[in-house]
């Protein structure tokens, strides 16, 4: 209704201009100017993006099921990552304590030996933590890449700890000097430590793919 009123008003104003302008040529120029301005606005005005199609109930249920599958797997994965972090922090703390001469080389070796066993068990568990086959192909392939990176990181972490433990074995020490022993263990840590574990890109891609917008839910459309 408002558009009709505006259109009628515009036509009435044009009629008044046509009737009372002293020159019809000026009126023609004015109309051409209006047409040109309208054409420019029409072609340059950003097109309105089409509204996203409402997701069907079947697709929504499938999407929610995929979310639950991923969430269950990811909870276990996060526990493994947290344990990797704890082991690595404990490794650095052991070496730092020995560097400060607050523990003996014998205590250092005993702690590294226990950490070596824990790290080995964690590495083996991670290597068997395959992504769920019920995930769709796109998400499954991304998780395969995540597990390749994580398994490689866990293996490198274990290797670093194992080499440091072997070097700290009192039976294998070539020097009785505590400073020299600490320097040797520190050099192994620096040389063998793995690079960071970077999986945020893959995880973010999966989360974006599995995200369900509330305004596309059939319940929200009613």
């Amino acid at each position: 209704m408002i558009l009709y009123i505006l259109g009628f008003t515009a036509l009435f104003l044009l009629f008044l201009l046509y009737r009372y302008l002293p020159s019809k040529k000026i009126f023609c120029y004015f109309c051409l100017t209006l047409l040109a301005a309208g054409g420019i606005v029409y072609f340059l005005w950003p097109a309105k993006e089409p509204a996203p199609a409402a997701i069907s109930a079947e697709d929504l249920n499938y999407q929610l099921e995929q979310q639950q599958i991923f969430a269950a797997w990811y909870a276990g994965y996060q526990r493994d990552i947290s344990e990797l972090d704890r082991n690595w922090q404990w490794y650095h703390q052991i070496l730092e304590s020995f560097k400060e001469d607050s523990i003996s080389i014998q205590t250092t070796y005993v702690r590294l030996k226990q950490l070596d066993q824990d790290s080995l068990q964690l590495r083996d568990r991670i290597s068997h933590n395959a992504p769920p086959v019920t995930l769709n192909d796109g998400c499954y392939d991304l998780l395969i890449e995540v597990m390749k990176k994580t398994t490689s990181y866990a293996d490198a972490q274990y290797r670093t700890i194992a080499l440091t433990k072997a070097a700290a074995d009192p039976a294998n020490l070539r020097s009785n000097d505590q400073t020299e022993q600490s320097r040797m263990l520190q050099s192994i840590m620096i040389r063998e430590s793995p690079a960071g574990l970077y999986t945020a890109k893959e995880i973010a891609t999966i989360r974006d793919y599995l995200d369900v917008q509330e305004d596309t839910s059939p319940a929200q459309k009613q």
Side-chain angles (χ1 to χ4, degrees):
M1 179 61 73
I2 295 177
L3 292 177
Y4 288 118
I5 295 174
L6 292 175
F8 178 78
T9 303
L11 289 174
F12 179 71
L13 292 175
L14 286 175
F15 173 75
L16 292 178
L17 285 174
Y18 178 79
R19 185 178 183 90
Y20 293 105
L21 277 176
S23 173
K24 305 306 179 187
K25 184 179 294 187
I26 295 176
F27 177 79
C28 291
Y29 288 148
F30 177 75
C31 290
L32 290 174
T33 302
L34 285 179
L35 288 173
I40 292 173
V41 170
Y42 176 81
F43 287 107
L44 295 183
W45 194 267
K48 184 179 180 181
E49 295 183 0
I55 188 171
S56 68
E58 182 180 356
D59 289 341
L60 177 60
N61 289 334
Y62 175 76
Q63 197 84 336
L64 292 175
E65 180 182 303
Q66 291 286 295
Q67 284 183 329
Q68 293 170 357
I69 294 170
F70 171 73
W73 180 88
Y74 190 61
Y77 176 77
Q78 285 185 307
R79 287 193 293 270
D80 289 341
I81 294 301
S82 296
E83 195 166 338
L84 279 173
D85 289 340
R86 285 194 298 270
N87 286 349
W88 203 230
Q89 291 173 12
W90 181 228
Y91 170 72
H92 282 274
Q93 186 175 340
I94 293 171
L95 293 193
E96 188 64 26
S97 296
F98 180 63
K99 181 180 180 181
E100 295 174 353
D101 204 15
S102 58
I103 59 175
S104 66
I105 188 63
Q106 290 80 10
T107 301
T108 299
Y109 174 71
V110 169
R111 293 181 180 179
L112 286 172
K113 186 176 180 180
Q114 181 60 53
L115 181 59
D116 174 82
Q117 296 174 1
D118 295 342
S119 182
L120 176 61
Q121 292 176 0
L122 178 59
R123 185 201 67 174
D124 291 344
R125 187 169 78 239
I126 288 175
S127 67
H128 291 91
N129 187 18
V133 295
T134 47
L135 271 178
N136 66 70
D137 291 344
C139 294
Y140 182 84
D141 291 343
L142 286 169
L143 287 188
I144 287 292
E145 185 63 27
V146 167
M147 289 314 302
K148 284 181 180 178
K149 292 182 178 181
T150 307
T151 301
S152 177
Y153 178 85
D155 184 64
Q157 187 181 101
Y158 164 70
R159 185 175 63 252
T160 303
I161 294 171
L163 289 172
T164 309
K165 179 211 68 174
D169 187 344
N172 298 330
L173 290 173
R174 298 179 180 179
S175 172
N176 293 324
D177 182 69
Q178 189 272 344
T179 301
E180 181 62 27
Q181 292 171 350
S182 176
R183 186 180 299 112
M184 176 187 60
L185 298 184
Q186 292 286 334
S187 67
I188 294 174
M189 178 193 68
I190 294 172
R191 184 177 67 252
E192 301 294 337
S193 288
L197 176 59
Y198 304 106
T199 60
K201 181 179 178 181
E202 290 85 355
I203 297 298
T205 301
I206 294 173
R207 289 185 179 279
D208 289 342
Y209 180 81
L210 295 179
D211 183 48
V212 177
Q213 299 298 326
E214 291 184 358
D215 59 356
T216 61
S217 170
Q220 298 290 333
K221 294 295 182 179
Q222 293 178 357

